Amino acid sequence: MAKKHVLGIDIGGSGIKGAPVDLDEGEFATDRKRIDTPKESTPEAVAEIVAQIVDDFSKDIDKSSPVGITVPAVVHHGTVRSAANIDKSWIGSDAESMFSAAIGRPVIVVNDADAAGAAEMHYGAGRGNEGTVLVATLGTGIGTAMFLGGELLPNTELGHLHLDGNDDIETWAANSVREKEDLSWEEWAERLQRYFGHIEDLLWPDLIVIGGGVSKKSDKYVPYLHLRAPIVPAQLRNDAGIIGAAWLASHHRS
Ligand code: BGC
C-alpha cells in the first residue's frame, strides 16, 4: 500500500494552499494546490475552499491524523482570538470545530508563524538547536514563533510590540511597509535592527530565523544587521506553513 501523508493547509491573505506532507522527509508528497482567498474571507467562505482542497487530496492522506490548518491570527485552543490582517468576523470563531464540520475530519488549527516556525525547527534553519530560537515571518504583518528545546511557545505575537511611540510595530517594520513606503534595503534594515535589537534585549534568543517571502532576499538586508544572535534566512520558504501545519497536527497533544 502506498504511504499516506498528513495534509497541511496554509490560509493566507491572497491564497489558500495545501499539500500532503511527507513527515519523514519534511517535504510535499505531491504538488501543492492553491486557490485564491475569497475577497470576503469570512470563516464560512474559507471553509468551502478548505473542503475542496481536502477533497482533492483525500486519497493521499492518512485518515488517522488530523488535518493541520494555519490562520494568520492568534489561535487559542482552536478558537481564533485576533484578526490584524484578516476579516474581523474570524474573532471568536471556533475554527477547529467549524473546519472539522466542513470537511468531516478532525482538524488542528494553528497560528501561521507557529506553523512556519515548527517546520524550520524540525526540517530547516533551526534544526537541532536546543536553545531559545525566534522565528519571525516578515510579510504583510510580522509573525513570530518562539522555541526552547525545540518546543513551541504558541501565540507569541511579537509583531504587535509597542516601541518608540509606535503602538503596533508591524505597521512600521513589516515587509509590506518597506514596499509601501518604498524604503531602500538599508532603510528597512535600520527598522529591523531596532525591532530585533529590542527583542534581543527582552528575550535573548540563541538564534533568529527570518521567514516570509522576503527571506530569499536576505543578502540585501541581513548584512546591515548587528545583533548578538546569529540571524539566518528560513530554508523552507513558502512551503514552511503547510509543512509545519502538518507536523503540528501529527504531534498534537490534547
Ligand atoms: C498576526 C499574527 C500573524 C502574523 C503573520 C500578525 O498581524 O497578528 O497572528 O502570525 O500577522 O501573518
Side-chain angles (χ1 to χ4, degrees):
M1 197 180 83
K3 195 161 129 202
K4 298 282 183 172
H5 303 285
V6 178
L7 184 61
I9 299 181
D10 193 21
I11 299 173
S14 56
I16 300 174
K17 296 161 279 182
V21 176
D22 179 337
L23 290 172
D24 294 335
E25 304 296 331
E27 60 189 29
F28 296 170
T30 66
D31 284 348
R32 62 158 213 196
K33 185 176 174 76
R34 180 190 183 284
I35 300 179
D36 281 349
T37 305
K39 277 211 175 54
E40 240 191 273
S41 56
T42 58
E44 296 69 27
V46 168
E48 271 181 38
I49 292 176
V50 165
Q52 279 179 45
I53 294 178
V54 174
D55 246 21
D56 268 30
F57 290 120
S58 67
K59 64 175 188 336
D60 304 311
I61 57 181
D62 177 357
K63 295 197 174 46
S64 67
S65 170
V67 172
I69 301 181
T70 77
V71 290
V74 171
V75 188
H76 202 230
H77 307 297
T79 296
V80 175
R81 295 292 184 195
S82 72
N85 297 304
I86 56 169
D87 196 275
K88 302 296 173 227
S89 60
W90 281 88
I91 297 178
S93 110
D94 177 350
E96 252 167 38
S97 305
M98 184 209 53
F99 284 131
S100 184
I103 69 175
R105 283 171 197 258
V107 163
I108 299 297
V109 181
V110 294
N111 170 263
D112 58 353
D114 284 348
E120 290 298 329
M121 289 308 292
H122 295 287
Y123 306 108
R127 190 174 186 163
N129 193 312
E130 291 293 312
T132 304
V133 180
L134 168 73
V135 181
T137 62
L138 306 175
T140 309
I142 296 181
T144 59
M146 290 285 310
F147 298 84
L148 175 61
E151 289 285 326
L152 171 68
L153 172 69
N155 293 309
T156 44
E157 294 292 326
L158 298 174
H160 299 299
L161 287 179
H162 295 214
L163 186 60
D164 299 340
N166 193 319
D167 65 5
D168 187 359
I169 202 64
E170 73 172 14
T171 64
W172 182 71
N175 187 45
S176 60
V177 180
R178 177 187 65 80
E179 291 171 343
K180 204 164 58 210
E181 295 184 16
D182 201 17
L183 300 177
S184 68
W185 292 109
E186 191 173 359
E187 285 168 331
W188 187 49
E190 276 172 28
R191 296 188 182 191
L192 294 180
Q193 174 68 35
R194 177 72 186 115
Y195 175 60
F196 285 119
H198 183 63
I199 292 185
E200 278 209 307
D201 289 344
L202 300 176
L203 295 167
W204 289 78
D206 296 298
L207 174 70
I208 300 173
V209 179
I210 297 195
V214 78
S215 62
K216 58 177 176 288
K217 299 208 174 125
S218 63
D219 57 321
K220 309 259 190 233
Y221 51 93
V222 166
Y224 294 117
L225 299 177
H226 301 286
L227 298 158
R228 295 182 198 103
I231 179 158
V232 297
Q235 288 174 3
L236 300 171
R237 306 271 155 83
N238 288 334
D239 299 350
I242 294 175
I243 293 173
W247 192 93
L248 288 171
S250 72
H251 291 80
H252 180 71
R253 292 184 291 251
S254 44

